[in-house]
Amino acid sequence: MAEITAALVKELRERTGQGMMECKKALVAAGGDIEKAIDDMRASGAIKAAKKAGNIAAEGSIAVRVEGGRGLIIEVNSQTDFLALQDDFKAFVKDSLDEAFEQNLSDAAPLIASRESAREALVAKCGENVNIRRLTAVSGDTVGAYLHGHRIGVLVVLKGGNDELAKHVAMHVAASNPAVVSPDQVSEELVAKEKEIFLQLNAEKIAGKPENIVENMVKGRINKFLAEASLVEQAFIMDPEVKVGELVKKAGAEIVSFVRYEVGEGIEKAETDFAAEVAAQVAASKQ
């Protein structure tokens, strides 16, 4: 069984909103598996929902570039958001993005190798660790992008349509964070798990009901789950009366794919002494 650390308990508390003892008990029962603990807590009715996405922990910036039917999105991490807002860091991100785009890269590894000297120089100057984490390249008939500040970036590929439509869809993705384009892309495993959790949560409610009634209840829940997870089934943020899929279809287009990056998702950040952090930044600025 995995060790039940304070950090693990803290993460489960943040993701479920439950008390420390409840979280520790759930982790012990799940053998230290946090995802299983969340599912068990949902099934027992302790929580109604859980944030499956990784916690936003690390700092840095997302950058995007779209040109000539091609799009590129990149994430560069820093230790503090303070550095992410500085000109030196911004220049490093832009140069890295442009190099990856011009070299038509589809993987971060060669970019990381190529930019190592520039990265080391930036680290020496600012006193913080800096890393190029990931990049994704896309191409298609119509490629749109949206950047929300420096923390969330989205690329959308459409078959047909125009740049404005693609940008609007990208803005929706940034705000709503869908998991997949369409319901048929949701795995059978996830559907089965959602069905199992629904049945456990509603055991008393469905007890004694005819099988066809129960099936309809389950179907309703699964349809809602698929709609929440699927981009084409979500209500468009600019016009909730229209689904995103309907909006795009009306324009004679089709959503091929999307990529959504959020700074630091899935990265656990160590606790930081704020006073020490500020002192380090001041010291670095004097060098």
Side-chain angles (χ1 to χ4, degrees):
M1 182 179 75
E3 181 184 0
I4 311 302
T5 63
L8 200 59
V9 173
K10 179 175 180 290
E11 181 180 352
L12 186 56
R13 287 187 67 192
E14 292 174 347
R15 293 175 62 178
T16 63
Q18 299 303 296
M20 181 177 69
M21 294 308 297
E22 288 83 359
C23 289
K24 185 173 182 180
K25 183 178 178 181
L27 284 166
V28 170
D33 185 332
I34 192 168
E35 300 300 337
K36 185 176 186 305
I38 290 172
D39 287 337
D40 290 345
M41 292 172 81
R42 289 186 63 194
S44 68
I47 52 175
K48 293 182 178 179
K51 300 175 182 177
K52 287 291 186 178
N55 291 335
I56 307 304
E59 304 301 336
S61 291
I62 307 297
V64 296
R65 179 175 169 181
V66 173
E67 190 177 310
R70 294 172 51 215
L72 186 75
I73 185 167
I74 185 173
E75 178 181 2
V76 181
N77 293 129
S78 59
Q79 288 179 253
T80 66
D81 192 54
F82 175 85
L83 179 60
L85 299 173
Q86 304 309 303
D87 290 341
D88 288 340
F89 183 84
K90 290 179 180 179
F92 177 80
V93 173
K94 184 180 185 304
D95 291 345
S96 299
L97 175 71
D98 289 343
E99 179 176 326
F101 192 89
E102 289 157 12
Q103 294 292 326
N104 202 20
L105 299 180
S106 58
D107 182 77
L111 180 65
I112 291 171
S114 174
R115 298 289 293 161
E116 181 59 16
S117 294
R119 187 194 73 83
E120 290 179 346
L122 178 59
V123 170
K125 183 176 182 179
C126 70
E128 283 191 29
N129 193 19
V130 173
N131 287 299
I132 297 172
R133 182 187 180 196
R134 53 179 173 165
L135 68 81
T136 300
V138 302
S139 61
D141 288 353
T142 306
V143 179
Y146 175 69
L147 194 61
H148 187 72
H150 63 285
R151 300 191 65 84
I152 299 176
V154 177
L155 291 176
V156 168
V157 180
L158 302 181
K159 183 177 181 181
N162 55 44
D163 293 344
E164 183 179 14
L165 177 64
K167 181 178 180 179
H168 285 170
V169 174
M171 291 173 70
H172 175 93
V173 171
S176 300
N177 195 15
V180 294
V181 172
S182 57
D184 60 359
Q185 294 178 345
V186 178
S187 70
E188 293 182 3
E189 180 183 357
L190 281 179
V191 172
K193 180 179 288 187
E194 191 67 21
K195 178 180 178 180
E196 180 183 353
I197 290 174
F198 175 82
L199 291 174
Q200 291 184 49
L201 281 172
N202 295 275
E204 293 184 5
K205 186 184 297 184
I206 64 179
K209 282 186 168 56
E211 185 176 341
N212 65 315
I213 298 297
V214 175
E215 288 179 358
N216 286 334
M217 291 174 66
V218 171
K219 183 178 180 181
R221 173 54 210 162
I222 295 303
N223 286 339
K224 182 180 179 182
F225 168 70
L226 293 175
E228 291 172 347
S230 306
L231 174 57
V232 298
E233 293 295 321
Q234 291 181 342
F236 184 45
I237 55 170
M238 296 181 183
D239 182 2
E241 299 299 316
V242 179
K243 291 182 179 180
V244 175
E246 295 170 347
L247 173 79
V248 173
K249 186 177 181 180
K250 186 177 180 180
E254 177 185 344
I255 301 173
V256 177
S257 63
F258 70 84
V259 181
R260 183 184 188 276
Y261 278 9
E262 187 162 350
V263 167
E265 55 193 347
I267 300 177
E268 184 176 353
K269 183 182 179 183
E271 293 295 330
T272 304
D273 183 327
F274 182 70
E277 179 182 299
V278 172
Q281 291 168 357
V282 172
S285 68
K286 294 179 179 179
Q287 294 180 353

